[in-house]
Amino acid sequence: MTIKDLKLRWKQSILILAAAIGILAVGAAGIGDLARSITAERRNQAREMVEVAVRLVHHIDSRVAAGQLSLLEAQEWAKEEIRNLRFGESGYFWIIDTHARIVAHPVRRELEGVDMAAAADPYSRAVAAAALQAIKTRESGFINYEWPKPGSDSAVHKVSFITLYGPWEWIIGTGLYIDDVREMIWTRTAFVGGIALAVLAIVVAGSMWIARGIATPLAAVTRSLVQLTEGQFSSPVREPERRDEIGDLARAFNFFRQKTHEMERLRIEKEIAQDRERQALREGESRYRLLVEQSPDAVLVHRNDEIIYANNVAASLFRAERPEKLIGMAVDDVLAPAHQEKARALRRNVLVSGWAMPLTEGAYRKLDGENFIAEATAARVHVDNGYAVHTVIRDVTERKRAEETFRKLSKVVEQSSSLVLITDAHGHIEYVNPRFEEVSGYALADVAGKTPGVLKSGNTPDTVYQELWGAIKQGREWRGEFCNRKKNGSLFWEYAIISPIKGEDGGITHYVAVKEDLTVRKAYEERLLRQAHYDALTDLPNRALAMDRLSQALGRARHGNRVVALMCVGIDDFKRINGTFGHAAGDDVLIEVADRLRAAIEDSGTIARLEGDVFSIIFPDLEAGIHAEIASRRVINALAEPFFIDGQEIILTASIGQTLFPTDGIEPQVLLRNAQSALQRAKSAGRNTCRYFTPRMNVDARRRIQMQSLLRRAIENDELSVLYQPVVETATRRWVGAEALMRWNSPQLGPIPPSEFIPLAEESDLIVSLGEWILTKACRQAAHWNRSSGTSLHMAVNVSARQLRDVSFAETVARTLHETTLPPDHLELELTERLLVECGTQNGRIIEVLDGMGISLSIDDFGTGYSALTYLRQFPTKILKIDRSFIRNLGSSEKDAALVKAMIAMAHCLGIKVIGEGVETPGQAMVLNGAGCDFIQGYLYGKPMSADDFAAGLADKTAKRAVG
């Protein structure tokens, strides 16, 4: 070996050693930078993935706010999505709540709901403690912990990025195994080391057989390494054209340089992205500051009870020259002392809980010392990696003053002597003052939500209400009077001023009524009016009021096709009383005459004193003039009773002149004139009589007087007879009973219908004897038919009100049944609706006695009178007879059919059977049968007939059923 060779080897060694040292230095620098880059890359990836997960949760939460999902559905969806999220080879997500309970586990769902802070293994407790500690000071960040790697019992170091999703109190995190990073670094280090060894091997091998070809390439590699360490990547090593070791070394180094260049590029791009994020954050803060500056309310941001930000409105509110004057001050400096302790407690609650402070009213203080009232709300905000309190303050001093003014006005309204009522725009009552409650009897709870119509009495014309609403809906005030009804039913008068209340937009929002009670004044006015319209002596209407009442009666009669009768009653030879006993005695007689007239006509007409001893009586709404004639007889009889003047008995008589509307006239003055003419003719005819304006009516009156006289002897002369009309069972067409109908055939007057002689009999005691006569005849005939035919017929007999007033009527019925051997349950007594309504206590007891005897009670002509269900329930009614006026149009009138069906259904609900009267056609019978009517009576199945004809018909029906 020559010295030259040794020198060469020494140089080779130096070259190899230098190359090795250079490669190791560059490799170490590259590996360190690689480790930092990969670790930063993984950490940033973990941060980005957690932010993706949070955005996913926020997106799902927005569906809850929109009402598309329930909170539970949204949370279950979010957990399912996050469980399935993965990144890299071992990256996953987990969720716990702020109480360290597992919300979502990426692998083991059975652990969800487990409290990690109380777990048996120390790793879980450590993770929970680190996560909870991290969110106390910040809402996101990295935590380090030890965790067993899957497939291994030993724990390895792990890094997680966590963030708090406040609305659901979820802590969302992901994990990064540090040993994964190390393996990647070692893998890349091995790769680079292999390259370095290969380079060294090439250098050593090449230096053995060609030393001189190494210096230049190695020098280039050295220079490139220096540039690489300085961060210069633009000058790659020139690769030799030949395919030898030097060329391989250059190419390997260029490959290493390229990879290092790419890593540097990635690092720079990451830094640029982070700069953009910081810029976006700064822009967001700028927008937040802009919104706060433009807020109409004062805004303070304070941390540790020290103000760190104030907007211009806050400076103006607290009278600071500029917002900076408030910065650095303690929050208590802008609070009144009385409110400081409460405000501190509220701020602590906001910071600890994270929940916004509700709108709270308190006392604040300006910098010049003036106190004022304000409303404030506060929320926790994140500022410079810490928490602060964002407070919004609004001065409500003026509003409080307005409220105080309103309270004063309210007290005025509350203590006002006027009635005050306020409604909304639709007329629903919202407020009444105590005076309203005192006068009307209605408390606010009674009328709240109702309309003022609850006070209506029906005495105020509808035109008044129409005028009222027409005015106030147009925004105008209305004034007028009402006659209303109190809660206890009594009437009261009030004068009202009703005004609309308009809102800021000009629309009507409420109505207010201020009223004065006019009841006392109206009572005084009524007394004055009564004095103007009533006779001071007899307290009867005077001539003016009588003519007004007559006009009203004529108006009703024109629309209802009714008759109105007008009587003029004059006391015969009354001047003799005044001349003999004096005017005081005459006045006493007139007063007693008025009382007797009231008792004679009761409530059937209007009595008035026209002048002196002349009275008038108006009978409105009559069906025929005969009713007025009967009343005239009552008047004459009432005045025929003796009068006593100074202990002396005086007999007075009265003459009556009567006229009718519309036959004798259609105007009040004409009728009065005709009645006065008739009165004069009555006095001329001998007094103590009644005369009619037309000769024909005088003839009819004489006939009725004759008729009443002949009727008294009709029973004795055997002029009366009884006809029987069959009652048929609807379903079987079987005769089950009969109604007894009285007939009178007078030898002098001929056949007289019951509609003429029954009213005459009812006006006297004749109806009692006639009723007893027909009851005996009907019961005896029914008992005979039942014995001879083997049937169980029911006999119906009509009963008048006069009979029921007889205390011995029940005894008469019992005696008649005993004498005729008719069982009580085979007798039916027919009563009219009017009779039930007018039935007094004594009559009610008689009805109860009759029912106790087993006698059936029926209501005749139902529907033509009062149709009062109360009386059907009160009295023991067993049968109801629907009047023929409803049956007549059954085939053509849907309304009559509906009424009949309703009557039948109602009666059946009360346990009452029903008879349809006046059935004349099969169609009527068909409708009644379809409606469930129990019995039918009418010409279709038999007219009223004699006893012999009824017996023959009954035998014929019985024979047909036997053959059938």
Side-chain angles (χ1 to χ4, degrees):
M1 179 179 298
T2 63
I3 295 176
K4 188 176 181 179
D5 294 330
L6 290 174
K7 184 177 181 181
L8 181 61
R9 291 189 178 186
W10 177 77
K11 291 181 178 180
Q12 288 177 339
S13 300
I14 295 299
L15 179 61
I16 292 171
L17 180 59
I21 293 172
I23 290 173
L24 291 175
V26 174
I31 289 170
D33 188 63
L34 177 63
R36 288 190 298 274
S37 176
I38 293 175
T39 301
E41 178 183 355
R42 293 298 299 276
R43 288 165 65 94
N44 289 331
Q45 185 180 12
R47 180 197 297 268
E48 292 174 354
M49 293 306 294
V50 169
E51 291 174 352
V52 169
V54 170
R55 288 197 293 271
L56 172 63
V57 171
H58 177 71
H59 171 70
I60 295 175
D61 190 16
S62 66
R63 300 284 295 276
V64 177
Q68 299 173 353
L69 292 173
S70 67
L71 178 59
L72 182 59
E73 291 173 338
Q75 289 180 344
E76 288 299 324
W77 182 14
K79 288 191 292 186
E80 187 64 29
E81 292 292 334
I82 290 176
R83 289 191 197 103
N84 297 329
L85 283 179
R86 293 290 188 273
F87 66 96
E89 297 179 356
S90 58
Y92 57 85
F93 295 91
W94 49 266
I95 305 173
I96 64 173
D97 61 18
T98 55
H99 301 286
R101 291 188 295 267
I102 298 176
V103 176
H105 194 283
V107 179
R108 298 178 62 188
R109 293 195 181 183
E110 67 273 8
L111 296 179
E112 293 180 357
V114 173
D115 185 357
M116 289 186 68
D121 64 288
Y123 307 112
S124 296
R125 296 198 299 273
V127 173
L132 295 179
Q133 182 62 31
I135 66 167
K136 286 184 178 179
T137 58
R138 57 188 188 278
E139 294 183 353
S140 62
F142 290 95
I143 62 173
N144 300 306
Y145 55 93
E146 300 292 329
W147 192 262
K149 193 170 185 181
S152 174
D153 295 333
S154 60
V156 297
H157 187 63
K158 197 171 183 180
V159 176
S160 284
F161 181 76
I162 65 169
T163 189
L164 172 66
Y165 184 67
W168 291 357
E169 294 185 349
W170 279 10
I171 302 173
I172 303 174
T174 183
L176 172 65
Y177 285 100
I178 299 301
D179 59 344
D180 287 349
V181 177
R182 290 172 181 169
E183 289 177 4
M184 293 174 63
I185 294 173
W186 281 114
T187 300
R188 296 189 184 184
T189 301
F191 175 73
V192 175
I195 294 175
L197 290 176
V199 172
L200 286 175
I202 293 170
V203 171
V204 172
S207 65
M208 294 301 295
W209 61 276
I210 181 166
R212 296 187 183 274
I214 296 175
T216 301
L218 288 179
V221 170
T222 301
R223 287 194 302 271
S224 183
L225 285 173
V226 173
Q227 293 174 352
L228 186 62
T229 57
E230 294 176 354
Q232 300 179 18
F233 304 95
S234 60
S235 301
V237 178
R238 181 179 180 183
E239 298 182 6
E241 296 180 357
R242 62 178 184 272
R243 307 299 293 179
D244 54 12
E245 291 81 353
I246 298 300
D248 291 339
L249 176 61
R251 282 189 290 272
F253 185 79
N254 282 337
F255 176 76
F256 174 74
R257 183 204 59 78
Q258 181 182 356
K259 292 299 181 183
T260 305
H261 188 194
E262 290 180 359
M263 292 173 62
E264 180 66 15
R265 180 178 57 80
L266 292 174
R267 183 184 64 79
I268 293 173
E269 289 178 356
K270 182 62 68 176
E271 289 180 355
I272 293 174
Q274 291 175 348
D275 289 341
R276 290 175 179 172
E277 290 179 359
R278 287 190 290 271
Q279 179 64 26
L281 179 60
R282 287 192 295 271
E283 291 176 356
E285 292 176 351
S286 298
R287 286 193 295 270
Y288 164 77
R289 183 178 296 273
L290 180 62
L291 290 175
V292 169
E293 288 298 336
Q294 294 179 351
S295 171
D297 297 320
V299 176
L300 296 179
V301 180
H302 41 89
R303 181 164 50 197
N304 299 327
D305 293 336
E306 179 181 329
I307 299 174
I308 62 175
Y309 173 79
N311 66 352
N312 290 324
V313 179
S316 175
L317 176 63
F318 292 103
R319 293 180 181 168
E321 295 178 3
R322 55 185 183 277
E324 289 76 15
K325 287 288 186 180
L326 296 173
I327 297 175
M329 294 178 59
V331 178
D332 286 346
D333 291 341
V334 296
L335 292 169
H339 186 56
Q340 290 175 358
E341 183 176 352
K342 178 180 179 181
R344 281 194 292 270
L346 291 171
R347 293 197 299 273
R348 285 195 298 270
N349 184 60
V350 169
L351 284 171
V352 173
S353 67
W355 295 101
M357 181 184 79
L359 194 64
T360 304
E361 185 178 294
Y364 289 76
R365 182 170 55 189
K366 301 179 186 292
L367 296 187
D368 58 7
E370 179 184 346
N371 290 343
F372 65 97
I373 304 299
E375 290 178 342
T377 183
R380 189 177 72 181
V381 294
H382 194 270
V383 178
D384 297 334
N385 298 323
Y387 288 122
V389 178
H390 173 104
T391 303
V392 180
I393 305 169
R394 175 175 295 176
D395 187 357
V396 295
T397 305
E398 291 301 323
R399 193 187 75 190
K400 286 295 180 181
R401 290 174 183 167
E403 291 176 354
E404 180 62 26
T405 302
F406 178 76
R407 279 192 292 270
K408 293 178 182 178
L409 293 176
S410 297
K411 288 183 180 180
V412 171
V413 173
E414 290 287 329
Q415 300 173 11
S416 173
S417 60
S418 300
L419 291 75
V420 179
L421 180 148
I422 300 176
T423 73
D424 62 14
H426 302 289
H428 298 119
I429 297 174
E430 293 184 352
Y431 170 81
V432 295
N433 71 339
R435 178 60 176 165
F436 176 92
E437 298 179 356
E438 176 187 344
V439 173
S440 70
Y442 287 101
L444 178 59
D446 299 328
V447 297
K450 300 179 181 178
T451 66
V454 70
L455 300 174
K456 280 188 177 181
S457 64
N459 296 331
T460 303
D462 291 340
T463 55
V464 174
Y465 296 106
Q466 294 170 2
E467 178 188 349
L468 156 66
W469 283 105
I472 62 177
K473 282 187 175 181
Q474 294 177 7
R476 295 183 286 107
E477 180 183 272
W478 182 88
R479 297 169 181 255
E481 294 182 356
F482 296 109
C483 180
N484 284 333
R485 190 177 302 278
K486 299 182 181 182
K487 186 176 182 180
N488 62 9
S490 62
L491 300 178
F492 72 104
W493 281 90
E494 56 185 6
Y495 177 78
I497 302 175
I498 303 177
S499 305
I501 300 176
K502 299 180 180 180
E504 295 181 356
D505 60 351
I508 296 174
T509 61
H510 293 80
Y511 296 105
V512 59
V514 180
K515 308 178 181 181
E516 297 295 332
D517 186 3
L518 301 179
T519 306
V520 175
R521 194 185 81 184
K522 282 290 183 180
Y524 175 73
E525 292 176 353
E526 186 176 350
R527 285 195 299 271
L528 293 179
L529 185 64
R530 187 172 186 85
Q531 292 173 4
H533 292 88
Y534 284 82
D535 178 53
L537 178 64
T538 62
D539 199 33
L540 292 175
N542 58 17
R543 184 187 187 93
L545 183 56
M547 296 307 292
D548 180 69
R549 295 276 180 88
L550 180 59
S551 298
Q552 295 179 24
L554 296 181
R556 292 194 300 270
R558 290 187 184 95
H559 291 89
N561 295 323
R562 309 288 280 183
V563 174
V564 178
L566 175 63
M567 294 182 185
C568 282
V569 181
I571 308 302
D572 295 333
D573 201 15
F574 183 73
K575 292 182 179 179
R576 178 173 57 87
I577 301 298
N578 283 332
T580 303
F581 299 97
H583 288 281
D587 289 345
D588 292 339
V589 170
L590 291 176
I591 292 172
E592 186 171 351
V593 167
D595 293 339
R596 290 189 185 187
L597 291 177
R598 290 191 186 97
I601 71 167
E602 296 178 344
D603 295 328
S604 58
T606 298
I607 306 171
R609 184 185 178 197
L610 298 182
E611 56 186 357
D613 62 340
V614 179
F615 298 83
S616 69
I617 306 176
I618 302 168
F619 294 97
D621 299 325
L622 299 179
E623 294 182 0
I626 185 175
H627 300 287
E629 180 185 342
I630 294 172
S632 68
R633 300 305 306 172
R634 291 203 306 267
V635 169
I636 290 176
N637 293 336
L639 298 180
E641 296 291 329
F643 290 80
F644 292 89
I645 303 176
D646 294 335
Q648 181 177 349
E649 182 179 284
I650 301 296
I651 301 298
L652 294 178
T653 60
S655 298
I656 299 176
Q658 186 170 231
T659 185
L660 296 178
F661 166 88
T663 55
D664 298 338
I666 58 175
E667 297 296 332
Q669 294 296 342
V670 174
L671 290 173
L672 178 60
R673 184 179 66 247
N674 292 342
Q676 290 173 335
S677 298
L679 173 61
Q680 293 301 321
R681 285 199 297 272
K683 289 182 176 292
S684 301
R687 302 180 180 181
N688 196 29
T689 186
C690 177
R691 286 292 182 269
Y692 297 91
F693 177 70
T694 62
R696 177 62 186 170
M697 292 187 67
N698 285 326
V699 172
D700 293 342
R702 286 195 296 272
R703 181 175 184 273
R704 280 188 288 275
I705 294 173
Q706 182 184 15
M707 187 189 308
Q708 188 175 28
S709 176
L710 295 174
L711 185 59
R712 294 182 180 276
R713 299 191 296 271
I715 298 177
E716 301 173 1
N717 298 335
D718 197 24
E719 298 173 5
L720 298 175
S721 62
V722 181
L723 299 181
Y724 303 93
Q725 187 172 26
V727 177
V728 178
E729 188 175 46
T730 307
T732 63
R733 301 299 190 265
R734 180 170 58 92
W735 287 17
V736 295
E739 180 181 3
L741 303 171
M742 184 183 298
R743 295 293 185 265
W744 179 24
N745 188 10
S746 171
Q748 293 85 358
L749 302 177
I752 302 174
S755 59
E756 290 189 28
F757 71 82
I758 293 297
L760 290 176
E762 288 181 341
E763 291 296 322
S764 63
D765 291 336
L766 289 175
I767 194 64
V768 176
S769 57
L770 290 178
E772 185 175 350
W773 176 82
I774 190 172
L775 178 66
T776 303
K777 292 278 289 185
C779 290
R780 182 174 290 113
Q781 188 63 64
H784 171 69
W785 284 334
N786 288 340
R787 286 194 301 270
S788 62
S789 63
T791 57
S792 298
L793 294 176
H794 288 70
M795 181 60 69
V797 180
N798 289 280
V799 176
S800 71
R802 179 66 183 83
Q803 288 176 276
L804 276 185
R805 287 196 291 267
D806 188 349
V807 295
S808 64
F809 179 67
E811 297 178 0
T812 299
V813 174
R815 184 181 67 254
T816 301
L817 292 174
H818 177 71
E819 292 175 354
T820 59
T821 69
L822 182 68
D825 59 352
H826 285 59
L827 175 62
E828 175 188 330
L829 298 179
E830 292 188 359
L831 315 174
T832 63
E833 287 184 277
R834 182 180 295 275
L835 189 151
L836 284 182
V837 174
E838 297 174 352
C839 187
T841 304
Q842 179 66 32
N843 306 49
R845 285 197 292 268
I846 294 175
I847 289 176
E848 291 177 358
V849 171
L850 294 172
D851 179 66
M853 294 168 56
I855 297 171
S856 298
L857 300 177
S858 67
I859 305 299
D860 192 17
D861 301 335
F862 184 79
T864 61
Y866 295 89
S867 302
L869 302 183
T870 303
Y871 300 103
L872 294 181
R873 182 178 54 127
Q874 180 179 351
F875 295 105
T877 307
K878 295 182 180 178
I879 299 174
L880 183 149
K881 300 185 74 173
I882 301 176
D883 186 69
R884 65 184 68 248
S885 62
F886 294 96
I887 307 297
R888 183 182 304 117
N889 299 321
L890 274 187
S892 57
S893 173
E894 294 183 359
K895 290 185 178 179
D896 283 355
L899 287 172
V900 169
K901 291 178 182 179
M903 292 178 190
I904 295 172
M906 177 269 298
H908 286 171
C909 289
L910 297 175
I912 301 174
K913 294 186 179 298
V914 180
I915 299 177
E917 288 187 299
V919 178
E920 298 179 356
T921 66
Q924 295 169 349
M926 184 180 301
V927 173
L928 290 172
N929 187 28
C933 185
D934 302 285
F935 307 105
I936 293 176
Q937 181 180 350
Y939 281 13
L940 179 63
Y941 299 106
K943 298 180 180 180
M945 59 190 73
S946 65
D948 292 339
D949 292 340
F950 190 95
L954 179 63
D956 180 62
K957 295 292 182 181
T958 304
K960 288 182 179 180
R961 285 199 303 275
V963 172

